[in-house]
Every structure is written in structure tokens, then in C-alpha cells.
């Protein structure tokens, strides 16, 4: 049997001094390491001396990951994608939307290896339909391909990392909610464990959360290969917390470099605040060029010198931030942001939104409806601006999606969970109806979704709907009495899933989430739908804010489309 080539995809000419590891023999026998020695060997860099040794240890570590019973393996990949013997073109295998535009890092790989990495990630997308957001996947696939004899074995390693089902352990974030809470958790940790560097970022960046949204990419993507491989050694042994440690160490080194650039004096000059994108680019450039000043050993030494840093603390912060984000409007862990099975770009046509935008909207709606194909019910370009005609076309259909475009080019809309025929229950009076699944959204000038409102003081809603609408106006999260607050969101007394005995929302925020520089949008809206002979209201009465829709007809100032879900 021919010996497997673990350097098949490696461009040794780019490896520099590390090229000497190509011909180095494994330490012993089959290259397996005593599990009791894994941690010490990973941190000390023993495996870096032999490329094959590292590849064999990676196989040992990946196979030891507890996984779901049904986890796709190398044979599944070969059945779907072939043996990967021929050269693949990366351009013919575009990366899925859930990587958020993150490319596969080169990592001293051959040019044709990029096509192999794209093939692996494409197959992962087909076998893991529940992944909705995983920007770290291209870097992980690229690193593992470096030490894999073929595409199928790389696919199996990635699959096992994604399918890990050990309680309390995760290796890769797979939803936007998990990823966003990890960014905020990193902010909490930076504030506690490297406060000087954190203060530098706060002072120089207009939006700290935007800067920290790159923290995973610093480690998995921007680090040079020699550093990233050493991080992967420890990451596969000790888990997710290693990424936090290394990112904090990078932040410390970045601050040290900025101090050295000012002359190294003890007195630091007053930082000049810049756009967050400038700070992000500056940190990225530093991380990419870190090999000039920091060795892999020095980076890991700094990372593991952070004391009193526990997995339990990370888990508690992550859960707190995830819960806080849910209260801010992210209430559903989306199964897939790009619902390609439901929204066919070739068959979809709209004057208001693009195919990509409708897929983004489709990812927000409840999953039982997201699997259905949209059907056009009403559009002003064809049916005119008669509200009675609008009702006649949409009655009998539920749920529906309403899209609006103003003469100023702004685009907004609403997901309407209930049949518009229910508006007739109140006779000639405006009566509100719907469910907690209703929401309004805005696509332009910026994309934002607004959930139903969370009441701070639910006891105020006990006196009936009319009373609660008036009394709650000054108690909504994010509202106030200043000149810019023209109105506040309303709430219906029978739709308050809030525990009166529970703590206030502000008490549940992590320290960093509550900081002023996070600028998180706390404006929420209620779930109301209403309509009569001269107006439609979604969200509240006619005193509107951006997150509510209210319009009258006949009126030619807006363009309207109504979609229904058709199985």
C-alpha cells in the first residue's frame, strides 16, 4: 500500500525554514501521542518539527471528538464530490453565504489547493443545512487541508468539528447569534484582562464592537501560517477558549507596538479617534505582519500567561450576551440565512428588493414558512393604489409579506402573520390583531429587523389595552422624552411574555454590553396589525417612527408589493 502524502497541497517553496519539516520522521511508531502528553506537547510546539507527525496527531485529535451519531465522513464526500484527483477551479465552486464573504487564506498552499478547499466547504454546506453563519470555516478548512492526504479526509475532519456534541464544548460558531455574542464576550474579556489595550481601542475607534467583530479573523485568517498552525495545535487539544487567549495576546502586542511607535515613552499621547474601519485595518495589518516582531512561541507564552481565565467564565459571559442579544431583537437561532430552496433567484422578480435582499428577509420569517415559495398577490404597478383592491387580493392568504418603497428610495416592510380578514372583527373600528411572529423591518438605507416589544413594567398592562397603550409610552426600552422622540412603541396587554418578578433587562446585560460605546439598537416594536377603509397600520398608530409602518390610500407616494407563501 502506497504511503499517504500529507504534503500534497503544500507549496514548500513558501514554507521558508518550516520546509525542513517535510522530510522529518514522526517521533515514534504510527505517530500517535499519549493523551496525557497532548497538552504539554501542543503548547511546546513539538509537532512543528515534523509535518507528517503533526498530520498524524491531528487525525488522532479529530477522531477523538465526540460527534453526532450520523456525521458525514470521507466516504460520503467521495460519493458526492469524487476522489478530488483532478484540479478544481475555485471560481467554479463559490463559497456559501454563511462564510460572510471570508476567503480561504493561502496558508502556503498550492494554487490548485484553493479549488480543493472550496470543494470541501461547498460539500459542508450541503451536508450541514443548519449552519447559518460560520466565517471561521474557510481558515479552518485551509489549515486542515494543509495536513490532509486528500479532500475527503479534510472534509471528514471539518465535519467532526462541526458535529461535536459534547455538552458545554463547541469548536466553531455556526449561527450569527453565537458569533455576535462571542464578539461581545471578547469585549468583556478585553475589558477585564487587557484594560490598557481595550482603552486604546475605545479611545481610537468610533465603534468598538465593529473592531472586535474581527477577533476570530485575527486568529483564524490573518495570522501567518507558522503562527496559525501552532494555535491550531493547542486549539484542537484545549478547545474554543484558546482562540480568546490568542486574540487577547494579539491585542496586547498591538497596544505595545502602538506605544513603541510613539517613542516608547511612559506617557501615552492623547489618541485621535478614527473611523472603526481604519482601526480594523490597522490591527489586521499588524497581525498579518506579526512574524517580524513576535514568534509563535512568544505569542502562545503571552496567551497562556493570562491568569484566572476559565472556561466557566467564558461560558457564563457568552450565555449572558446571547440572552441580551435576544432581548435586543435576535430571538431565533436561524437555521440558514440563505434559504435557496425557497427563494429561487431565477423565478423571483421585484421592483423593490433584489433576490439577495429577499433571501435575507426570508431568513427572518418562521422556518415552517421559509420553506415555501413566495407568490405575488398585489403590486401597485399592476393593481393600482386602491386599498379595497389591496384587501380583496390579500384576504384569505396568511402569512403575507408587505414590501414598501418611498419616493426617497427608502425600503421597508412587514411580515404579517394573520389573515387581513380578521380586521373586520371590530366592525368600523380599528382593531389590532396578529401574533408575536409579526415584525417590521427596514432594508434601505440600512438593513434592520424590529421585533415585538419587551415591556419593562408588565404590571402596567393589566388595566386593559387602551390604558396600557397610554401608560407604557414612557417605559419602552430606548425611548425618551427628548425633542427627537416623537412617539413611542405600543403594546397589547394580552401579549406580554415577561415575568413580573424577573430583573430589569439592564440588570441582565454584561458589563461591556452596557457600555456606551456598543451603540446597540434597543428600539423595538409591537406586533400590531390593523386596517380599515382608509388606512393600514403595522406596529402602532399613525404617529410613526422608522420601525413602524402606517399609510393611507389612495396615495401614489409609495410602491407596494404583497407576497404570500405558497407551498
Amino acid at each position: 500500500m502506497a504511503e499517504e502524502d500529507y504534503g500534497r497541497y503544500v507549496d514548500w517553496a513558501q514554507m521558508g525554514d518550516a520546509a525542513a519539516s517535510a522530510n522529518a520522521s514522526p517521533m515514534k511508531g504510527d505517530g500517535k501521542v499519549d493523551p496525557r502528553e497532548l497538552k504539554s506537547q501542543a503548547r511546546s510546539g513539538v509537532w512543528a518539527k515534523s509535518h507528517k507527525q503533526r498530520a498524524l496527531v491531528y487525525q488522532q485529535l479529530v477522531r477523538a471528538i465526540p460527534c453526532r451519531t450520523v456525521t458525514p465522513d470521507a466516504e460520503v464526500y467521495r460519493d458526492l464530490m469524487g476522489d478530488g484527483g483532478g484540479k478544481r477551479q475555485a471560481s467554479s465552486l463559490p463559497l456559501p453565504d454563511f462564510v460572510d464573504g471570508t476567503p480561504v487564506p493561502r496558508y502556503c498552499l498550492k494554487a490548485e489547493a484553493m479549488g480543493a478547499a472550496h470543494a470541501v466547504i461547498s460539500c459542508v454546506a450541503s451536508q450541514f443545512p443548519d449552519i447559518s453563519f460560520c466565517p471561521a470555516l474557510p481558515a479552518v478548512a485551509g489549515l486542515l487541508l494543509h495536513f490532509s492526504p486528500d479532500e475527503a479526509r479534510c472534509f471528514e475532519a471539518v465535519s467532526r468539528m462541526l458535529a461535536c456534541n459534547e455538552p458545554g464544548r463547541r469548536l466553531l460558531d455556526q449561527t450569527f447569534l453565537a458569533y455576535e455574542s462571542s464578539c461581545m464576550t471578547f469585549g468583556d474579556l478585553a475589558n477585564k484582562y487587557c484594560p490598557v489595550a481595550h482603552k486604546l481601542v475605545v479611545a481610537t475607534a468610533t465603534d468598538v464592537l465593529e473592531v472586535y467583530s474581527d477577533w476570530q479573523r485575527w486568529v483564524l485568517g490573518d495570522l501567518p501560517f507558522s503562527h496559525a498552525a501552532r494555535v491550531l495545535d493547542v486549539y484542537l487539544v484545549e478547545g474554543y477558549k484558546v482562540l480568546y487567549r490568542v486574540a487577547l495576546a494579539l491585542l496586547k502586542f498591538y497596544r505595545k507596538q502602538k506605544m513603541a511607535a510613539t517613542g516608547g515613552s511612559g506617557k501615552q499621547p492623547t489618541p485621535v479617534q478614527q473611523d472603526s474601519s481604519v482601526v480594523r485595518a490597522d490591527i489586521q495589518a499588524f497581525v498579518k505582519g506579526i512574524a517580524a516582531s513576535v514568534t509563535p512561541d512568544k505569542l502562545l507564552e503571552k496567551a497562556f500567561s493570562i491568569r484566572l481565565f476559565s472556561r466557566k467564565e467564558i461560558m457564563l459571559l457568552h450565555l449572558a450576551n446571547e440572552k441580551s442579544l435576544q432581548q435586543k431583537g435576535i430571538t431565533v437561532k436561524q437555521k440558514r440565512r440563505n434559504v435557496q430552496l425557497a427563494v429561487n433567484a431565477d423565478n423571483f422578480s421585484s421592483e423593490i428588493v433584489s433576490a439577495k435582499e429577499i433571501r435575507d428577509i426570508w431568513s427572518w420569517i418562521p422556518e415552517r414558512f421559509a420553506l415555501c415559495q413566495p407568490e405575488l398577490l398585489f403590486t401597485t404597478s399592476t393593481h393600482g393604489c386602491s386599498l379595497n383592491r389591496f384587501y380583496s387580493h390579500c384576504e384569505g392568504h396568511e402569512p403575507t409579506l408587505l414590501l414598501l418603497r418611498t419616493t426617497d428610495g427608502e425600503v421597508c416592510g412587514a411580515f404579517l402573520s394573520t389573515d387581513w380578514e380578521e380586521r373586520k372583527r371590530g366592525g368600523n373600528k380599528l382593531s389590532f390583531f396578529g401574533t408575536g411572529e409579526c415584525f417590521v423591518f427596514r432594508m434601505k438605507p440600512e438593513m434592520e429587523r424590529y421585533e415585538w416589544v419587551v415591556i419593562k413594567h408588565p404590571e402596567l398592562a393589566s388595566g386593559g389595552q387602551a390604558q396600557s397603550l397610554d401608560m407604557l409610552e414612557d417605559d419602552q426600552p430606548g425611548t425618551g422624552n427628548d425633542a427627537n422622540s416623537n412617539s413611542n412603541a405600543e403594546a397589547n396587554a394580552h401579549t406580554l411574555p415577561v415575568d413580573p418578578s424577573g430583573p430589569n433587562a439592564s440588570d441582565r446585560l454584561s458589563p461591556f454590553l452596557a457600555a456606551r460605546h456598543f451603540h446597540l439598537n434597543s428600539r423595538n416594536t409591537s406586533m400590531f396589525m390593523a386596517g380599515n377603509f382608509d388606512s393600514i397600520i403595522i406596529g402602532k398608530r399613525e404617529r410613526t417612527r422608522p420601525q413602524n409602518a402606517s399609510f393611507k390610500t389612495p396615495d401614489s407616494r409609495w410602491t407596494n408589493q404583497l407576497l404570500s407563501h405558497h407551498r
Side-chain angles (χ1 to χ4, degrees):
M1 183 176 177
E3 185 177 353
E4 292 181 314
D5 181 9
Y6 290 97
R8 173 181 176 181
Y9 299 103
V10 181
D11 185 348
W12 294 105
Q14 296 185 40
M15 291 285 285
D17 295 339
S21 67
N23 300 317
S25 301
M27 291 183 295
K28 57 180 180 179
D30 57 3
K32 289 186 177 180
V33 178
D34 187 332
R36 294 171 295 183
E37 300 177 6
L38 285 171
K39 188 173 181 178
S40 62
Q41 289 192 9
R43 292 194 182 189
S44 62
V46 172
W47 309 329
K49 299 175 182 177
S50 168
H51 186 87
K52 184 176 181 180
Q53 174 67 50
R54 189 178 245 159
L56 293 172
V57 173
Y58 281 5
Q59 285 190 18
Q60 176 184 347
L61 294 173
V62 167
R63 287 171 181 164
I65 297 174
C67 295
R68 299 193 292 254
T69 304
V70 180
T71 299
D73 57 13
E75 290 304 316
V76 171
Y77 184 88
R78 294 187 183 101
D79 289 342
L80 295 172
M81 308 293 289
D83 59 6
K87 293 183 179 180
R88 303 183 191 272
Q89 295 297 323
S91 58
S92 65
L93 293 163
L95 296 177
D97 285 354
F98 64 65
V99 304
D100 197 36
T102 306
V104 177
R106 190 61 184 267
Y107 283 146
C108 302
L109 293 168
K110 295 177 181 178
E112 56 266 29
M114 294 295 100
H118 279 233
V120 169
I121 297 170
S122 296
C123 193
V124 166
S126 69
Q127 294 299 302
F128 291 83
D130 53 339
I131 299 177
S132 62
F133 198 81
C134 191
L137 185 59
V140 171
L143 283 170
L144 291 175
L145 188 64
H146 210 284
F147 301 96
S148 299
D150 55 37
E151 295 173 12
R153 297 276 280 279
C154 177
F155 168 80
E156 181 174 331
V158 173
S159 296
R160 293 190 68 85
M161 292 179 69
L162 291 169
C164 175
N165 64 354
E166 183 178 338
R169 180 185 180 188
R170 79 182 192 282
L171 291 171
L172 291 169
D173 293 324
Q174 299 177 42
T175 66
F176 180 75
L177 178 59
Y179 179 82
E180 195 76 356
S181 61
S182 78
C183 296
M184 289 158 43
T185 298
F186 179 77
D188 289 321
L189 297 172
N191 188 34
K192 179 177 180 179
Y193 292 104
C194 45
V196 179
H198 172 66
K199 288 177 182 177
L200 174 65
V201 177
V202 171
T204 55
T206 54
D207 188 341
V208 180
L209 181 57
E210 185 180 345
V211 174
Y212 287 162
S213 66
D214 289 339
W215 79 272
Q216 282 191 25
R217 182 168 180 171
W218 300 343
V219 183
L220 297 172
D222 291 338
L223 274 178
F225 171 73
S226 58
H227 292 66
R230 286 292 305 280
V231 172
L232 186 62
D233 291 348
V234 191
Y235 172 50
L236 290 175
V237 174
E238 300 187 42
Y240 195 90
K241 71 173 184 178
V242 169
L243 301 183
Y244 282 120
R245 282 189 174 275
V246 174
L248 290 174
L250 290 172
L251 196 61
K252 286 175 176 282
F253 281 120
Y254 171 72
R255 181 257 171 187
K256 185 177 180 180
Q257 183 246 16
K258 298 302 285 186
M259 285 292 295
T262 61
S265 59
K267 185 177 180 181
Q268 186 174 351
T270 303
V272 178
Q273 194 166 63
Q274 309 170 79
D275 187 81
S276 300
S277 61
V278 176
V279 180
R280 292 173 67 185
D282 192 36
I283 296 177
Q284 184 182 42
F286 165 75
V287 175
K288 286 185 174 181
I290 197 172
S293 57
V294 180
T295 64
D297 285 327
K298 193 174 180 181
L299 176 63
L300 290 181
E301 181 184 354
K302 176 70 75 173
F304 289 104
S305 67
I306 302 173
R307 303 186 62 188
L308 305 177
F309 189 88
S310 68
R311 183 179 284 108
K312 182 178 180 181
E313 179 185 19
I314 294 172
M315 182 183 69
L316 291 175
L317 281 172
H318 185 85
L319 291 174
N321 284 319
E322 190 170 286
K323 187 173 182 180
S324 299
L325 278 172
Q326 288 175 319
Q327 293 166 351
K328 292 288 182 180
I330 302 176
T331 59
V332 179
K333 292 185 179 181
Q334 302 166 7
K335 288 296 181 72
R336 182 181 284 276
R337 301 183 79 198
N338 182 8
V339 191
Q340 296 177 342
L341 293 177
V343 184
N344 188 330
D346 296 332
N347 298 330
F348 177 80
S349 176
S350 172
E351 299 175 359
I352 299 178
V353 295
S354 66
K356 180 184 182 303
E357 289 171 331
I358 193 64
R359 285 197 294 264
D360 288 334
I361 296 170
W362 223 246
S363 71
W364 295 336
I365 68 177
E367 289 179 18
R368 65 185 185 279
F369 303 126
L371 297 175
C372 305
Q373 183 72 19
E375 176 186 0
L376 181 64
L377 297 178
F378 178 90
T379 174
T380 53
S381 61
T382 302
H383 304 102
C385 297
S386 167
L387 190 53
N388 287 332
R389 191 175 296 123
F390 172 87
Y391 287 140
S392 67
H393 279 77
C394 66
E395 287 177 0
H397 298 272
E398 66 173 75
T400 51
L401 184 71
L402 182 66
L403 300 173
L404 300 170
R405 185 182 64 209
T406 69
T407 54
D408 295 328
E410 296 181 353
V411 174
C412 59
F415 174 72
L416 313 170
S417 62
T418 308
D419 191 337
W420 277 101
E421 197 163 10
E422 289 199 24
R423 77 187 191 284
K424 299 175 181 177
R425 291 185 307 176
N428 292 327
K429 285 185 173 183
L430 269 176
S431 60
F432 290 94
F433 58 97
T435 70
E437 291 180 324
C438 290
F439 63 85
V440 295
F441 58 86
R442 179 173 57 190
M443 298 303 293
K444 295 176 183 177
E446 58 184 12
M447 187 170 68
E448 194 155 9
R449 173 192 180 189
Y450 301 91
E451 291 284 354
W452 59 320
V453 76
V454 177
I455 306 298
K456 279 187 177 180
H457 303 289
E459 66 277 3
L460 297 180
S462 60
Q465 179 178 334
Q467 178 185 6
S468 62
L469 293 181
D470 294 333
M471 294 179 67
L472 287 172
E473 283 195 347
D474 294 329
D475 286 308
Q476 301 305 320
T479 61
N481 296 322
D482 56 24
N484 295 326
S485 297
N486 297 325
S487 59
N488 297 297
E490 301 170 348
N492 196 340
H494 67 277
T495 59
L496 303 174
V498 182
D499 181 8
S501 62
N504 291 332
S506 60
D507 296 334
R508 293 191 291 270
L509 302 182
S510 71
F512 192 62
L513 177 64
R516 62 170 177 79
H517 45 261
F518 252 86
H519 302 304
L520 288 181
N521 190 339
S522 61
R523 297 170 299 170
N524 292 328
T525 187
S526 67
M527 62 178 184
F528 292 125
M529 299 166 55
N532 62 8
F533 65 94
D534 72 341
S535 65
I536 287 177
I537 303 171
I538 303 164
K540 60 172 290 173
R541 294 176 184 170
E542 291 184 25
R543 296 177 299 163
T544 62
R545 295 182 71 182
Q547 68 268 37
N548 301 286
S550 175
F551 52 89
K552 292 190 176 184
T553 192
D555 191 338
S556 60
R557 289 177 296 174
W558 45 264
T559 302
N560 170 291
Q561 273 194 327
L562 187 75
L563 302 173
S564 179
H565 301 73
H566 178 66
R567 293 186 181 277

